[in-house]
Amino acid sequence: MQEHSKTPRLANRRELIIKTAARLFREKGFEATTVRELANAVHLQSGSLFFHFESKEEILLAVLEGGLLRAVAILNRSLHKARTPREKLAAIFHGHLKAILEEERDAFTIILRDWRTLSPRSRKAVIALRDKYEEHIDRVLREIAHEPFIPKDIRLFRLFLLGALNWTVQWYRPGGALTADQLAERFLSMVVADKDVAGKQRPTAKQTRVRAALRL
Amino acid sequence: MQEHSKTPRLANRRELIIKTAARLFREKGFEATTVRELANAVHLQSGSLFFHFESKEEILLAVLEGGLLRAVAILNRSLHKARTPREKLAAIFHGHLKAILEEERDAFTIILRDWRTLSPRSRKAVIALRDKYEEHIDRVLREIAHEPFIPKDIRLFRLFLLGALNWTVQWYRPGGALTADQLAERFLSMVVADKDVAGKQRPTAKQTRVRAALRL
DNA sequence: CCTACCGATCGGTAGG
DNA sequence: CCTACCGATCGGTAGG
């Protein structure tokens, strides 16, 4: 932890560039963000960015790879202690919303809008990570698929659910009325029987039976 | 309808430019599409585009305004003969998916990705049209909101449903296994009691009661 | 990590 | 609607 050690300073600067780029790319788009803007934001001359990165695209790649790797970790942590089908589905809702709305919102927003600008090589790397992330979700949903009363077409059910979750990046604003966790619980209650969601009004025995039968 | 009348030729050329621009902007993004590419695609010299439009942005504006205006018409047509709450919800599913997946996919994709590049003036015009479109959907959902057993938080329910529908632009490919109408029916069956959806296996009386009670 | 700079490309224009 | 062109800006580089 020496002040004068060069490696940590370089790593810190690199991380600062990546973090700042993530915000700018999300706010303005990758192509609309110039290297000069990014350089100014981290108090460098524009040419100096290329002391840390070979190209503007390499910065984008670093943003996306870092974000997706951390998102996988978030999802894993959320899924780790889930046991019952309901708990597993809840873990997906909570972990996924935490990843895309709070921790790694930049990466998910950018990948959705700007993935086309990546070179084939970079694109392959990013898609591999994205597939890894989605595999976790797919695996859990396939486990739940064998539960009774789940829609037959599990693929469409998955696309339906993930669509509703993913779309939140379009309207959710941090610091609003709901935290990501609260939003996850509200959404869960729309597709699955309440157990003790939010601890509020307990449903009648009949309602619980009915809704459990219908959805999970 | 004379061959030598100039007005229709001009109008046709203008429409061709708008239609071609819509496809290119969707495929490559607005900023990544150069005026030279667009000009080549319609067999003009790049400078000649500015005989028809004042700026590249004016082309984008024409693409979005045209698409949104036609989308409103599609939605109106779909909602026109809907009477019961279920029919109204079905009309939204069918009309909205037809608009965003088939007829006006370009405009919805572009507006989602590139609206930030519009000038404040253009943005205002586009947002006004978008609000008009969403008003139709909102109005119907508010009517349905008073039906029993609809989730209390109608706003979140709306965001949940529209999220699932809107997200289809990310994965649906025309010419695949499902038409937009078929997809609408499948999605409908996930949130509302079947009446005679697809005419397939009729649910039991109990199921119908249960699902109707739960969702609509 | 800065200074100084470059080739390429962009949207757009003048004049016909 | 074309020809010929321009000023601005872009990502990136050489040399220190």
Side-chain angles (χ1 to χ4, degrees):
Chain A
M1 292 285 188
Q2 293 178 316
E3 272 290 330
H4 299 92
S5 166
K6 265 198 174 165
T7 313
R9 285 174 68 191
L10 274 181
N12 285 344
R13 184 72 74 151
R14 197 184 146 91
E15 284 308 308
L16 176 64
I17 293 171
I18 293 174
K19 202 167 181 175
T20 306
R23 178 176 55 79
L24 289 175
F25 292 167
R26 170 177 60 78
E27 288 174 355
K28 314 194 39 164
F30 173 71
E31 296 176 82
T33 303
T34 67
V35 294
R36 282 159 182 80
E37 287 173 319
L38 174 55
N40 283 341
V42 294
H43 306 293
L44 289 181
Q45 297 304 312
S46 64
S48 306
L49 282 180
F50 300 96
F51 170 77
H52 296 280
F53 296 91
E54 281 197 353
S55 66
K56 188 188 176 192
E57 194 199 324
E58 198 194 296
I59 303 178
L60 174 60
L61 186 59
V63 167
L64 298 182
E65 285 187 328
L68 284 176
L69 280 174
R70 289 187 296 273
V72 169
I74 291 170
L75 198 57
N76 277 342
R77 226 175 297 138
S78 185
L79 283 168
H80 185 257
K81 54 190 189 306
R83 291 290 171 269
T84 69
R86 195 200 180 280
E87 284 170 359
K88 287 177 180 176
L89 190 66
I92 286 181
F93 275 52
H94 282 276
H96 189 48
L97 287 184
K98 178 172 186 170
I100 69 177
L101 297 182
E102 291 180 344
E103 306 297 330
E104 305 305 332
R105 182 166 158 240
D106 291 342
F108 277 94
T109 306
I110 296 164
I111 207 177
L112 182 63
R113 188 214 286 132
D114 297 319
W115 67 271
R116 278 163 217 269
T117 69
L118 288 166
S119 68
R121 200 179 166 287
S122 303
R123 200 182 295 183
K124 200 177 163 188
V126 169
I127 289 180
L129 278 175
R130 210 195 184 193
D131 286 349
K132 192 177 173 183
Y133 182 83
E134 291 183 346
E135 263 175 31
H136 289 259
I137 294 181
D138 275 355
R139 178 171 46 78
V140 175
L141 286 178
R142 279 198 305 272
E143 292 170 7
I144 298 176
H146 301 110
E147 296 286 317
F149 298 94
I150 280 282
K152 284 285 158 51
D153 195 332
I154 187 68
R155 180 178 156 271
L156 270 189
F157 185 58
R158 188 194 76 210
L159 290 167
F160 184 84
L161 281 188
L162 288 185
L165 292 178
N166 288 337
W167 193 257
T168 57
V169 298
Q170 299 293 332
W171 56 266
Y172 181 85
R173 293 295 166 259
L178 291 176
T179 66
D181 270 335
Q182 289 169 331
L183 180 59
E185 285 302 314
R186 300 285 189 94
F187 273 6
L188 261 176
S189 73
M190 291 182 186
V191 289
V192 74
D194 299 312
K195 235 174 192 167
D196 47 358
V197 174
K200 294 288 164 56
Q201 48 194 12
R202 236 165 241 284
T204 65
K206 183 194 166 194
Q207 274 179 335
T208 299
R209 217 186 327 114
V210 160
R211 302 174 81 165
L214 177 59
R215 285 287 162 250
L216 262 196
Chain B
M1 291 285 191
Q2 293 178 312
E3 272 290 328
H4 299 92
S5 166
K6 266 196 172 165
T7 312
R9 283 174 67 191
L10 273 181
N12 286 344
R13 185 72 76 155
R14 197 185 147 92
E15 284 307 310
L16 177 63
I17 294 171
I18 293 174
K19 203 167 179 176
T20 306
R23 179 175 55 79
L24 288 175
F25 291 167
R26 170 177 59 77
E27 290 175 354
K28 314 194 38 163
F30 173 71
E31 296 176 82
T33 303
T34 67
V35 293
R36 282 158 181 80
E37 286 175 318
L38 174 55
N40 283 341
V42 293
H43 306 295
L44 289 181
Q45 297 302 312
S46 63
S48 305
L49 281 180
F50 300 96
F51 170 76
H52 296 280
F53 296 90
E54 282 197 353
S55 66
K56 188 188 175 190
E57 192 198 327
E58 196 194 299
I59 304 178
L60 174 59
L61 186 59
V63 166
L64 297 181
E65 285 186 331
L68 285 175
L69 281 174
R70 289 188 296 273
V72 169
I74 291 171
L75 199 55
N76 278 343
R77 228 175 296 138
S78 185
L79 283 168
H80 186 255
K81 54 191 192 304
R83 291 291 173 268
T84 68
R86 193 203 180 278
E87 285 170 358
K88 288 177 180 176
L89 189 65
I92 286 182
F93 275 52
H94 282 276
H96 188 48
L97 287 184
K98 179 174 186 169
I100 69 176
L101 297 181
E102 291 179 343
E103 306 297 330
E104 305 305 333
R105 183 168 156 237
D106 290 341
F108 277 95
T109 306
I110 296 164
I111 207 178
L112 181 64
R113 191 214 285 130
D114 296 320
W115 67 271
R116 278 162 217 268
T117 69
L118 288 167
S119 68
R121 200 179 168 281
S122 304
R123 200 181 296 183
K124 199 177 166 188
V126 168
I127 288 179
L129 279 175
R130 208 192 186 197
D131 287 348
K132 194 177 172 185
Y133 182 84
E134 292 182 345
E135 263 175 31
H136 291 258
I137 293 182
D138 275 354
R139 179 172 44 79
V140 176
L141 286 178
R142 280 197 305 271
E143 292 171 9
I144 298 178
H146 300 111
E147 295 288 316
F149 298 96
I150 282 280
K152 285 284 157 52
D153 194 333
I154 188 66
R155 181 178 156 270
L156 270 189
F157 185 57
R158 188 194 77 210
L159 290 167
F160 185 83
L161 282 188
L162 288 185
L165 292 178
N166 288 336
W167 192 255
T168 58
V169 298
Q170 298 294 331
W171 56 265
Y172 181 84
R173 292 295 166 261
L178 291 176
T179 66
D181 271 335
Q182 289 170 330
L183 180 59
E185 285 301 314
R186 299 284 189 96
F187 272 8
L188 262 177
S189 73
M190 290 182 187
V191 288
V192 74
D194 300 313
K195 235 172 193 170
D196 48 357
V197 175
K200 292 289 165 56
Q201 47 193 11
R202 234 167 242 283
T204 65
K206 183 194 165 195
Q207 275 179 336
T208 300
R209 216 184 329 112
V210 161
R211 301 175 81 166
L214 178 58
R215 286 289 162 250
L216 262 194

